[in-house]
Amino acid sequence: MGFQVKIVGDFCNIRCAYCRNRDFDRTDKAVMSVETLEKFIAFLNTVPQPEVRASWHGGEPLLAGKDFFKHIVRIEKEYPEKIWRNAVQTNATLIDEGWAKFFVENNFHIGVSIDGNERVHNIDRINSAGRGTYKNAMRGVNILRKNGIHPGVICTVTKKTVNYAEEIFLGLVNSGFKSISFNVFYNTASENREDEYALTENEWFNFLKEVFELWYTLNDSTIRVRELDAILAWTVGRSSNECSFRGSCSQWFAVDYTGDIYPCERFGRSVHFGSIQTLENYQNLVASSNLLNWRNEIRILPNKCKSCKFLSLCYNGCCSHRRADSEGIPMYTYCESRIELFDYIQRKINPLIIGDKNVK
């Protein structure tokens, strides 16, 4: 169970060319009020599980300011019966010693967004003046590391960067990242689904294939790549813990700064479940007709999935990355590339070697 909390809405201090939020207003400052934050954390306290995960997102969440994050910690302490797991996904450009010390003192998990080496990163991840943000982002990463935080990295792969797999992967490795995740760009937040930055199946497969070859050649078990781990798990008959492989999307919620609740932030605002301003508790959320109807819809499987040997390991992929098949049933856009990657890796290595790679 987890909540992605867009505490500043779409407000951001940089202007990534591919951003899913580019169709929305990223310039007007919007920050969740302390009153809404209090209602939200009280709402989280009604979740039946003893452990609650909150991932503070944006836009750029650090624009909410240090005082806002101090309120998060203060309010959570009012509910000591819960185990609070806080995470922040940041572009890292605003991180200073004060932020790093706060994260350390309060056990925040930090993820950063870096798109490879400096050249490739700066193709799309630019500031409002059109200049690259790599140096500022890595300055923030290095401050975190100096304070004992070693963040994982999410790298977004777009039509403009998909042909630079070697630069991207080795750029991240050479910059010291050990936990690497790749997000295939697929615009679900916008009404424009035919996005100029979106990848084809073949492009995504070829990118991951090249990353696998580079990773395999490095032979360094301390470097973990989320997308490779997921497929390697398949080769020994296990499913990945990553949500797009487990059919568990309905266990994630996005909460806007207004308190409105949606599915995972990849969906944008097209599906609305209600608001913490009116929902008294978590039980009311999961019993709402909007949520129940949506859950039923995303669980409908195409015939191809029903007969697929990987169904129990894949579950029709990320449900925000689906397109209607010939019968009008949404099917994972990158289905074939996922199967192709499995076949490729299966031919390349065997389970004994996988065991040596310390696959989980």
Side-chain angles (χ1 to χ4, degrees), residues 128-184:
S128 58
R131 292 190 287 270
T133 59
Y134 182 84
K135 283 187 169 63
N136 281 340
M138 286 305 302
R139 176 194 53 77
V141 169
N142 289 328
I143 290 173
L144 290 173
R145 289 173 175 164
K146 187 177 73 171
N147 284 273
I149 297 174
H150 297 276
V153 63
I154 292 178
C155 170
T156 299
V157 184
T158 75
K159 183 79 77 174
K160 289 185 178 180
T161 61
V162 69
N163 294 321
Y164 306 128
E166 182 173 0
E167 274 190 79
I168 290 171
F169 179 67
L170 294 183
L172 294 173
V173 170
N174 293 336
S175 296
F177 290 105
K178 297 292 188 179
S179 176
I180 300 170
S181 300
F182 293 107
N183 281 353
V184 56

Side-chain angles (χ1 to χ4, degrees), residues 3 5 32-49 52 54 56 71-82 84 255 261 275-277 279-284:
F3 292 81
V5 197
M32 180 180 281
S33 69
V34 174
E35 292 74 21
T36 299
L37 178 65
E38 288 174 337
K39 287 183 179 180
F40 174 58
I41 294 177
F43 174 86
L44 291 183
N45 190 52
T46 68
V47 170
Q49 289 83 358
V52 179
W56 307 95
H71 283 303
I72 292 173
V73 174
R74 172 185 62 80
I75 300 167
E76 287 177 346
K77 287 179 179 177
E78 295 175 8
Y79 303 96
E81 62 272 25
K82 290 294 185 188
W84 299 96
V255 181
I261 304 175
S275 171
I276 60 167
Q277 308 292 356
L279 291 167
E280 294 181 1
N281 52 50
Y282 175 77
Q283 288 69 31
N284 288 344

